[in-house]
Amino acid sequence: DTLWDLAIAEVQKRENPDDDGKRVEVCEKSVLFMGNKNGGKTTIILRCLEREEIPKPTLALEYTFGRRARRHNTPKDIAHFWELGGGTSLLELIRIPITSNNIRSFAVVLVLDLSKPNELWTTMEKLLQVTRNHVNKILTKLEKTNPEVATEIKQRMRNNLQRDHPDYELVDPFPIPLVIIGSKYDIFHEFDSEMRKIISKTLRFVSHYYGSSLVFTSKSETLLLKARALINHLAFGYDKSKSVSVDHSKPLFIPAGLDSLSQIGPPPASDSDIGKMHANTPLELWKKVFEKTFPPKSFCDLHDTKDPAQDLQYAEYEVDVMRAQKNQ
């Protein structure tokens, strides 16, 4: 074949559907990482992208991306990684990465620091509430402008649980794919076994209730690989892992839809205590039981947020000189 023959063949191959009968299109997905301050979000992102960098503290909202080819000689898929810094102090910024244009291919990773159980529920509740409200607003708009897409998104989240799953009617799936990562397992592992059990059971319940996957991770390579498998599924559409680990004495690993309320059991409190707690929903009951053991710390992320303009990692001589002049 001459060079021209090869070129024509190549163009035809690209224009016509490939072997699977599908066009080879570049797939783009976006993932937003959020969670506790200093909880290890940047480390997990760098690990997913196989970058050997020392993580820097995240200011406000940061962006990076990764590219992977599904097969040899195919265009590379793109994953956009957003990271929200500052714990729960910058919730307003969530609406920047999540828009009606990318909502179909958007997912959220919530990183919770297992070594700080007193901040765990508050952080989780605030971040998921604000994200959910924002996503629901987008879906409400889409119902008017593009009802098929809105229906597809809602239906997709229901598909995590099989219709014959006993909890199908009892859960309230998050509107877009969600992965909950419990970080710093190495510190958590030193906790008293009863405390570990309460935290693990509670996170299993929350994760199952929201139709989310759950994984515990630390700096250990094997645990990071498990978290990476779940994130690669969200970011690049890799196959979902089918392995499950629900033993509370080991790191949990439960892909979405593979747990059940009967396996998780009731909230870890005595019947008389549960009877005294007035809760309108199962989620509220678990919250009360959890906060009885781990009273929420009244912490305000804003107080310790230093002025980002003074942060050395973003120093720019010309700008800083002008700024100093202006201040003077």
Side-chain angles (χ1 to χ4, degrees), residues 9-56:
E10 179 68 22
V11 168
Q12 279 172 345
K13 197 169 97 186
R14 281 187 196 172
E15 283 176 355
N16 299 326
D18 61 4
D19 312 355
D20 306 339
K22 293 179 195 151
R23 282 180 181 278
V24 180
E25 280 177 11
V26 172
C27 178
E28 282 194 42
K29 297 192 175 200
S30 306
V31 184
L32 170 63
F33 285 75
M34 54 192 189
N36 289 85
K37 228 176 171 162
N38 307 323
K41 299 182 288 296
T42 312
T43 308
I44 293 167
I45 293 175
L46 291 173
R47 202 61 211 83
C48 282
L49 297 173
E50 295 174 15
R51 286 193 198 151
E52 300 291 326
E53 289 171 32
I54 295 164
K56 294 195 194 103

Side-chain angles (χ1 to χ4, degrees), residues 52-301:
E52 300 291 326
E53 289 171 32
I54 295 164
K56 294 195 194 103
T58 302
L59 267 185
L61 187 67
E62 299 220 347
Y63 169 83
T64 184
F65 68 94
R67 296 169 75 217
R68 296 269 160 85
R70 266 173 282 185
R71 291 191 296 280
H72 189 55
N73 278 347
T74 57
K76 287 186 173 178
D77 293 339
I78 300 164
H80 305 281
F81 287 119
W82 295 88
E83 184 187 353
L84 179 72
T88 55
S89 62
L90 300 164
L91 294 171
E92 292 299 301
L93 296 176
I94 283 173
R95 57 174 196 263
I96 294 170
I98 311 178
T99 65
S100 51
N101 297 331
N102 65 12
I103 188 85
R104 281 174 87 173
S105 56
F106 210 97
V108 171
V109 174
L110 175 65
V111 180
L112 297 171
D113 187 336
L114 295 173
S115 67
K116 297 178 184 164
N118 299 74
E119 293 175 18
L120 201 137
W121 193 285
T122 322
T123 304
M124 173 177 73
E125 192 173 55
K126 278 188 184 171
L127 289 168
L128 291 183
Q129 230 163 14
V130 172
T131 311
R132 183 169 218 156
N133 292 344
H134 176 61
V135 170
N136 285 340
K137 269 185 205 156
I138 292 177
L139 288 177
T140 311
K141 270 191 205 157
L142 275 178
E143 274 165 0
K144 293 176 189 141
T145 57
N146 199 338
E148 291 89 13
V149 172
T151 315
E152 179 204 322
I153 291 169
K154 287 180 176 172
Q155 194 45 51
R156 188 180 59 194
M157 285 319 292
R158 273 278 170 207
N159 291 344
N160 264 338
L161 271 195
Q162 303 301 322
R163 272 190 179 281
D164 55 1
H165 193 291
D167 307 336
Y168 189 78
E169 295 300 329
L170 303 171
V171 296
D172 181 15
F174 203 69
I176 52 178
L178 173 67
V179 166
I180 297 176
I181 296 181
S183 65
K184 306 199 180 170
Y185 178 78
D186 42 345
I187 302 173
F188 171 76
H189 190 56
E190 303 297 315
F191 284 10
D192 166 68
S193 70
E194 202 48 41
M195 283 166 74
R196 287 210 311 267
K197 191 174 171 185
I198 294 172
I199 297 169
S200 298
K201 275 185 87 158
T202 304
L203 284 178
R204 274 180 70 185
F205 172 79
V206 170
S207 174
H208 182 59
Y209 186 75
Y210 283 135
S212 151
S213 298
L214 175 66
V215 59
F216 282 2
T217 182
S218 68
K219 285 182 178 155
S220 106
E221 197 57 32
T222 31
L223 292 187
L224 275 169
L225 279 174
K226 287 196 160 186
R228 195 172 133 196
L230 286 177
I231 293 164
N232 276 340
H233 171 68
L234 295 181
F236 298 107
Y238 284 22
D239 288 344
K240 241 185 182 168
S241 173
K242 288 279 187 288
S243 71
V244 177
S245 165
V246 292
D247 181 350
H248 294 146
S249 59
K250 298 192 176 88
L252 296 183
F253 180 79
I254 312 168
L258 297 184
D259 211 341
S260 69
L261 294 174
S262 57
Q263 277 182 293
I264 297 166
S270 67
D271 291 349
S272 59
D273 278 354
I274 288 181
K276 288 178 205 151
M277 292 176 182
H278 301 291
N280 298 323
T281 62
L283 195 64
E284 215 176 296
L285 180 63
W286 278 84
K287 175 183 179 175
K288 288 185 171 174
V289 171
F290 184 80
E291 292 188 339
K292 194 168 183 267
T293 314
F294 304 106
K297 264 204 333 218
S298 57
F299 64 97
C300 180
D301 283 329

